Amino acid sequence: MNIFIILFAVFLFSLVIFVHEFGHFFTAKLSGVKVNEFAIGMGPKIFKVQKGETLYSIRLFPIGGFCAMEGEEESESENSFNKKEPWKRIIIVAAGAVMNIILGIVMMFILLCQEPKIASTRISHFATDSVSNQYGLQPEDEIVAVNGYRVYSYNDLIFSLSSDGRDNFNIDVKRDGQTTRLNNVKFNMVEGKNGKKHIQLDFHVSSIERNLQNVLKYTFIDTVSTVRIVWSSLVGLVSGRFKLNNMSGPVGIASAIGNATNEGLKISILSAVNNILSIMSMITINLGIFNLLPLPALDGGRLVFLVAELIFGKSLSAKHEGWIHATGLFLFLALMVFITYSDIIKLIKGE
């Protein structure tokens, strides 16, 4: 793989981490909280510099980072985190996830600015070996829902048709100003490298002119689409529609980036870069949404305690809250070990 592509991928991973931790750092500083260390990466320090009250460091492994604030547990110092008003602490804790989502929006804007046209959800014409037109789909149909999943963008359309392995779909289309439901629509099925069959989209969609208004509009739409996909995937995981081994960790993500890069390089270096940027935009938005879930060890878990403190005027002891987050962290680490093992097995099997 081109060394430039590898460095670019590492840079984007580091950027996602930096932006998240910078959200905490920036709002902490604005709130008058002392930040003892701002670190990118984990493990031994390979670079460090002390500026004022804060140690800035880069660590060996680019797999995380942290913003170590004074008094996140117990402290009597007036510039400590736990001495600030609950609403300020809520902003500090939420800022990391919010910054990740903003970064994802910027990445999507950059991608859309390069597109000559923007894909719509309106059918333009069918492929010569099309199957779906035999089940009622017609040119100029605008697809508005698939199996009850509302479709606002081309990304929604692809997700709804490929997310649960079905081979037939109930599709709502807007035709001549009226919404019509087509039941049990089928598509061509093709066999992937792993031997599993998946649908092949057998029609082309109309394009939308690229101008500033449409780029801004579809940047917002695609961001919301990604948030909905993340949320729908989490709901599907809890409900059993998706299996746990469908999730990917660092190994699976690295493999996906490698595959997307190789496909892009068949066209050009710019195409490979854009493929990586597309994946990273989904990752950073995914990270932002996931971090806001009300689960121990996540920012969302901390927000639950802070909101409760804001409402009831009393906080749980730092010691007990620490135990809850430590338990959550242990469970997440165990989950990560399982997902990493699953990713390695998939690589060995060539899935």
Side-chain angles (χ1 to χ4, degrees):
M1 189 187 298
N2 190 302
I3 187 64
F4 169 76
I5 298 296
I6 296 173
L7 291 175
F8 181 70
V10 172
F11 166 75
L12 285 182
F13 268 116
S14 300
L15 181 62
V16 168
I17 296 165
F18 171 81
V19 163
H20 181 92
E21 298 304 334
F22 181 77
H24 296 313
F25 172 83
F26 180 70
T27 50
K29 288 285 191 180
L30 282 180
S31 302
V33 175
K34 178 184 177 184
V35 178
N36 295 321
E37 184 176 355
F38 180 80
I40 301 300
M42 304 296 284
K45 300 183 185 74
I46 57 175
F47 172 81
K48 64 179 181 178
V49 59
Q50 182 79 37
K51 284 195 173 183
E53 63 186 16
T54 305
L55 174 68
Y56 300 87
S57 67
I58 298 176
R59 296 178 177 243
L60 183 60
F61 305 111
I63 55 173
F66 59 88
C67 176
M69 292 174 279
E70 178 76 15
E72 289 188 78
E73 294 183 356
E74 294 288 353
S75 174
E76 295 302 319
S77 173
E78 288 303 316
N79 62 355
S80 65
F81 176 79
N82 68 324
K83 289 293 183 181
K84 299 302 176 182
E85 298 93 327
W87 68 268
K88 286 186 178 180
R89 284 179 277 150
I90 287 172
I91 291 174
I92 293 169
V93 171
V98 171
M99 288 294 289
N100 278 132
I101 295 171
I102 291 173
L103 177 62
I105 293 172
V106 171
M107 288 180 172
M108 287 190 172
F109 178 79
I110 292 171
L111 286 167
L112 283 176
C113 281
Q114 300 178 64
E115 295 291 336
K117 298 286 185 179
I118 300 170
S120 72
T121 59
R122 186 183 301 277
I123 297 174
S124 169
H125 60 280
F126 292 87
T128 54
D129 59 347
S130 172
V131 171
S132 62
N133 61 342
Q134 300 173 26
Y135 291 86
L137 284 177
Q138 299 177 10
E140 298 305 314
D141 280 348
E142 180 183 352
I143 298 176
V144 295
V146 177
N147 290 336
Y149 188 84
R150 188 70 169 86
V151 171
Y152 297 98
S153 70
Y154 186 72
N155 288 341
D156 287 336
L157 176 60
I158 296 301
F159 173 75
S160 61
L161 290 174
S162 61
S163 61
D164 56 9
R166 298 187 189 187
D167 61 359
N168 65 85
F169 305 87
N170 297 326
I171 299 180
D172 295 341
V173 300
K174 188 174 288 186
R175 180 186 297 168
D176 299 326
Q178 301 292 324
T179 299
T180 302
R181 170 161 292 184
L182 306 173
N183 293 314
N184 300 316
V185 177
K186 293 183 180 290
F187 293 85
N188 288 327
M189 300 294 291
V190 296
E191 188 172 303
K193 293 180 181 179
N194 56 8
K196 295 180 180 179
K197 290 188 176 182
H198 57 88
I199 73 160
Q200 182 181 52
L201 205 62
D202 57 9
F203 58 78
H204 301 271
V205 297
S206 303
S207 297
I208 299 168
E209 181 184 359
R210 188 195 69 180
N211 54 41
L212 182 59
Q213 179 180 344
N214 284 336
V215 167
L216 290 173
K217 174 183 175 181
Y218 280 90
T219 294
F220 173 77
I221 289 174
D222 285 349
T223 301
V224 173
S225 170
T226 302
V227 172
R228 291 176 66 229
I229 288 171
V230 172
W231 179 251
S232 178
S233 299
L234 289 171
V235 171
L237 192 65
V238 172
S239 66
R241 188 161 62 96
F242 299 139
K243 295 180 180 179
L244 194 59
N245 60 6
N246 291 140
M247 296 180 69
S248 289
V251 174
I253 291 170
S255 176
I257 289 176
N259 291 335
T261 301
N262 289 334
E263 289 300 314
L265 285 173
K266 293 177 182 178
I267 303 172
S268 67
I269 289 180
L270 180 60
S271 179
V273 167
N274 284 337
N275 283 353
I276 295 173
L277 194 62
S278 177
I279 293 175
M280 291 306 300
S281 68
M282 294 195 68
I283 288 173
T284 186
I285 293 173
N286 195 322
L287 179 63
I289 298 301
F290 188 76
N291 250 296
L292 290 176
L293 293 178
L295 300 174
L298 298 180
D299 289 339
R302 299 179 70 186
L303 287 173
V304 170
F305 292 106
L306 290 171
V307 171
E309 181 183 348
L310 185 65
I311 294 172
F312 300 109
K314 186 177 180 180
S315 64
L316 187 68
S317 72
K319 182 179 180 181
H320 291 118
E321 185 179 340
W323 286 348
I324 293 172
H325 291 310
T327 302
L329 180 60
F330 173 79
L331 293 174
F332 277 116
L333 289 175
L335 176 63
M336 187 57 64
V337 169
F338 173 81
I339 292 173
T340 301
Y341 172 78
S342 177
D343 284 342
I344 293 171
I345 295 298
K346 289 177 188 175
L347 283 177
I348 292 173
K349 292 182 177 180
E351 296 183 2

